[in-house]
């Protein structure tokens, strides 16, 4: 990022799909896929997300180069830049190290804007946060002057505490809605708290002429039992607010663990021939709760990432190579490479929330990719978004992705007087299975203020409370299409 013409993409991957924090970058105005990453002469890039697959620990790297122009033809698959790195090899002497880096929340100060109420579970104002990274490396001879080894390990155990301010309905709304008796047609939801702000008057879209609800009181006969069941899962405000927005502060922690191992062997087969092999594996797991508990909402995987859910992944890289000096003027090198990126994510809950509260057609029996909570979008208009989706808790869940890439490279260099001629071949075979939920396969339901507006007014929370089975049924096609998409992906 210190290179001229380089910038981070406007969007970033969530911590579930990018546990190593590899930024997706654009260089000299080119698409991120135009940046090529190589490790020990073999590809080291996820082509879907544009990120590095294996980030070796610093102790394992002996060289790194970044070239943005005039690079050799062997890097022709890149149009923006080439980032090459080499791992260490052993020597005739044993060298190694061990390390640990640890920090906790013991000396952290609380956020006075969002960390104002003790956590319901831990009783702490500051969510728990710990970071512990440890590992080591060792290199040395297998046969002196002949064969060498190098291995390293790095582990990370992390608890990331964060907090957030969101919007929940006022205590008056929640108490009156809880007392509404839909079966008997008595009581109702009192939203008069919002009348102090122009534009929050609610109109009845089910009656000709669209009359206003007097004093913003919605009688029980118009209320949605599904909406009331969901509202009962939302916590009460715990912050004072002049405009009844950002009136709830919550905190939580995301847990992450990573383990990485690199192993390399080098052998000097002859004075002219050198061979090596390396294998790297990176295992990771992450989990985070959500601000509204079983109702979902923003997650707490990190202060800058709102992922809420669980994920596990395994990335692998293997390469074997040989360099041969056939003569002082003719050189050749071979590389055999294998790269694998695998990740699986699930929602914060696999319970069929839509089915539980009586919304039909979203959680489809026998289709696990449609399980779990749907997404509810009110965009803070009386209630922040909740449930689960990319736009709610940054969770592309459920997600299953496995990428494999096989590579064979052979380069030849011929010295001709004061010139050199280089030619070769780079052959790759790639496979990819990605079953995403860019649009939540359990459904995404939006409640707009315009549905309860006349020429003016309208309120997203009012639209939500007026929703019925008929309006919820409009979204059944979301899950049906996702189901068909899932079939097609697996068929291919």
């Amino acid at each position: 990022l210190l290179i001229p013409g380089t910038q981070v993409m406007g969007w970033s991957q969530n911590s579930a799909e990018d546990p190593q924090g590899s930024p997706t970058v654009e260089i000299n105005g080119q698409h991120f896929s135009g940046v090529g990453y190589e490790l020990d002469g073999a590809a080291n890039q996820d082509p879907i997300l544009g990120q590095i697959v294996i980030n070796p620990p610093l102790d394992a790297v002996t060289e790194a180069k970044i070239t943005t122009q005039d690079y050799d033809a062997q890097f022709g698959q890149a149009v923006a830049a080439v980032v090459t790195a080499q791992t260490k090899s052993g020597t005739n002497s044993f060298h190694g190290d061990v390390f640990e880096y640890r920090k906790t929340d013991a000396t952290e100060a609380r956020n006075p804007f969002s960390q104002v109420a003790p956590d319901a579970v831990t009783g702490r104002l500051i969510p728990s946060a710990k970071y512990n990274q440890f590992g080591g490396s060792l290199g040395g001879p297998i046969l002196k002057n002949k064969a060498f080894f190098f291995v390293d390990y790095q582990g990370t155990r992390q608890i990331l505490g964060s907090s957030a301010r969101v919007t929940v309905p006022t205590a008056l709304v929640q108490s009156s809605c809880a007392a509404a008796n839909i079966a008997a047609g008595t009581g109702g939801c009192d939203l008069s708290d919002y009348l102090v702000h122009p534009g929050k008057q609610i109109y009845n879209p089910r009656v000709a002429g669209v009359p206003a609800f007097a004093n913003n009181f919605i009688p029980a006969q118009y209320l949605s039992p599904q909406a009331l069941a969901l509202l009962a899962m939302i916590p009460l405000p715990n912050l004072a607010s002049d405009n009844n927005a950002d009136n709830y502060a919550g905190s939580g922690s995301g847990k992450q663990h990573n383990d990485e191992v690199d192993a390399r062997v080098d052998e000097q087969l002859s004075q002219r021939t050198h061979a090596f092999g390396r294998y790297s594996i990176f295992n990771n797991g992450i989990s985070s709760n959500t601000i509204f508990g079983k109702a979902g909402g923003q997650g707490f995987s990190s202060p800058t990432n709102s992922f809420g859910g669980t994920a596990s992944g395994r990335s692998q890289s293997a390469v074997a190579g040989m360099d041969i000096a056939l003569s002082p003027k003719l050189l050749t090198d071979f590389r055999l490479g294998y790269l694998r990126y695998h990740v699986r994510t699930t929602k914060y809950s696999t319970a069929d929330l839509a089915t539980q509260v009586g919304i039909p057609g979203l959680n489809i029996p026998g289709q696990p990719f449609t399980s779990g909570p749907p997404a509810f979008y009110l965009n803070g208009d009386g209630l922040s978004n909740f449930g689960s989706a990319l736009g709610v808790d940054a969770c592309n869940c459920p997600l299953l992705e496995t990428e494999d890439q096989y590579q064979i490279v052979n380069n030849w260099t011929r010295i001709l007087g004061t010139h050199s001629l280089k030619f070769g071949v780079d052959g790759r075979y790639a496979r990819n299975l990605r079953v995403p939920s860019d649009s939540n396969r359990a459904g995404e339901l939006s409640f707009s203020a315009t549905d309860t507006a006349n020429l003016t007014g309208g309120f997203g929370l009012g639209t939500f409370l007026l929703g019925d089975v008929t309006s919820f049924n409009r979204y059944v096609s979301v899950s049906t299409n996702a189901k068909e998409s899932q079939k097609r992906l697996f068929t291919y």
Side-chain angles (χ1 to χ4, degrees):
L1 294 177
L2 298 178
I3 296 176
T6 302
Q7 64 180 9
V8 179
M9 285 283 293
W11 51 266
S12 61
Q13 300 302 326
N14 60 37
S15 50
E17 296 183 62
D18 183 18
Q20 300 178 90
S22 301
T24 302
V25 299
E26 295 173 314
I27 298 178
N28 294 334
Q30 299 294 326
H31 191 261
F32 67 79
S33 60
V35 182
Y37 297 96
E38 292 196 354
L39 183 62
D40 293 327
N44 189 32
Q45 181 181 25
D46 160 39
I48 302 298
L49 305 177
Q51 63 194 25
I52 300 172
V53 175
I54 294 293
N55 275 303
L58 290 177
D59 286 345
V61 178
T62 184
E63 179 184 60
K65 293 181 180 179
I66 303 174
T67 308
T68 59
Q69 59 184 354
D70 299 331
Y71 36 78
D72 293 344
Q74 71 185 79
F75 305 115
Q77 85 285 354
V79 296
V82 177
V83 181
T84 60
Q86 299 290 331
T87 57
K88 288 181 179 179
S89 62
T91 65
N92 276 329
S93 302
F94 287 101
H95 294 277
D97 70 334
V98 294
F99 65 89
E100 181 178 20
Y101 176 70
R102 177 182 172 89
K103 62 179 181 179
T104 72
D105 56 23
T107 57
E108 289 185 350
R110 72 178 182 90
N111 185 324
F113 300 102
S114 60
Q115 295 172 352
V116 296
D119 183 85
V121 178
T122 64
R124 293 164 50 101
L125 283 172
I126 301 176
S128 178
K130 296 179 182 179
Y131 182 86
N132 190 23
Q133 188 175 71
F134 51 91
S137 64
L138 179 65
I142 300 175
L143 294 173
K144 201 164 186 178
N145 297 322
K146 180 71 172 177
F148 313 92
F149 76 93
F150 182 87
V151 294
D152 66 80
Y153 165 78
Q154 180 172 283
T156 303
R157 302 292 182 267
Q158 191 170 12
I159 299 176
L160 280 167
S162 61
S163 57
R165 289 184 67 161
V166 295
T167 299
V168 298
T170 65
L172 175 61
V173 172
Q174 300 202 47
S175 61
S176 60
C177 287
N181 190 329
I182 294 179
T186 59
C189 287
D190 187 345
L191 280 72
S192 60
D193 283 343
Y194 299 96
L195 287 175
V196 295
H197 305 286
K200 299 301 184 183
Q201 172 65 53
I202 304 171
Y203 296 84
N204 191 347
R206 302 188 194 167
V207 177
V210 196
F213 283 108
N215 204 34
N216 260 9
F217 184 85
I218 305 176
Q221 67 192 77
Y222 295 113
L223 293 172
S224 161
Q226 294 90 350
L228 294 181
L230 291 166
L231 184 63
M233 302 178 187
I234 304 298
L236 291 169
N238 58 11
L239 295 176
S241 173
D242 292 337
N243 60 357
N244 296 317
D246 295 329
N247 56 356
Y248 179 79
S251 61
S253 299
K255 297 181 180 180
Q256 184 170 340
H257 68 269
N258 303 329
D259 293 287
E260 181 172 2
V261 174
D262 302 286
R264 173 169 173 151
V265 174
D266 290 76
E267 183 172 0
Q268 197 68 34
L269 298 175
S270 69
Q271 196 172 23
R272 297 183 175 184
T273 305
H274 164 257
F276 80 97
R278 175 193 51 79
Y279 174 73
S280 300
I281 184 171
F282 176 85
N283 287 330
N284 69 279
I286 183 172
S287 64
S288 175
N289 55 356
T290 54
I291 195 166
F292 292 149
K294 61 181 179 180
Q298 178 176 332
F300 296 108
S301 62
S302 77
T304 58
N305 191 305
S306 59
F307 174 78
T310 61
S312 61
R314 172 173 290 183
S315 297
Q316 300 175 75
S317 171
V319 59
M322 183 178 294
D323 306 292
I324 306 173
L326 298 173
S327 73
K329 295 186 177 183
L330 183 60
L331 313 173
T332 186
D333 65 84
F334 298 88
R335 297 287 187 277
L336 294 174
Y338 172 71
L339 184 68
R340 182 180 178 90
Y341 169 84
H342 172 78
V343 63
R344 179 188 292 271
T345 69
T346 57
K347 297 178 182 178
Y348 69 90
S349 171
T350 56
D352 290 339
L353 182 63
T355 300
Q356 290 177 1
V357 300
I359 306 175
L362 296 184
N363 301 129
I364 301 175
Q367 294 292 329
F369 267 74
T370 67
S371 64
F376 301 91
Y377 291 108
L378 285 79
N379 298 314
D381 199 17
L383 175 60
S384 292
N385 300 336
F386 66 101
S388 179
L390 266 176
V392 178
D393 58 359
C395 188
N396 189 338
C397 302
L399 167 72
L400 172 63
E401 180 170 4
T402 302
E403 297 179 35
D404 293 288
Q405 181 170 288
Y406 302 84
Q407 182 179 17
I408 180 170
V409 181
N410 180 210
N411 296 310
W412 292 79
T413 303
R414 173 68 176 176
I415 307 299
L416 300 173
T418 59
H419 303 279
S420 63
L421 175 65
K422 194 167 187 176
F423 56 94
V425 62
D426 183 340
R428 306 184 185 195
Y429 173 70
R431 300 182 302 177
N432 177 53
L433 168 67
R434 180 176 173 87
V435 187
S437 299
D438 298 330
S439 294
N440 186 359
R441 293 171 182 264
E444 298 190 359
L445 292 79
S446 297
F447 301 90
S448 170
T450 58
D451 290 342
T452 49
N454 200 337
L455 296 178
T456 60
F459 192 25
L461 179 60
T463 302
F464 171 72
L465 292 171
L466 287 166
D468 59 13
V469 172
T470 302
S471 62
F472 281 131
N473 266 329
R474 290 180 296 175
Y475 301 91
V476 172
S477 60
V478 174
S479 289
T480 303
N481 292 338
K483 173 183 176 183
E484 294 304 317
S485 175
Q486 177 186 345
K487 288 181 178 178
R488 289 196 298 271
L489 283 165
F490 277 116
T491 300
Y492 290 155

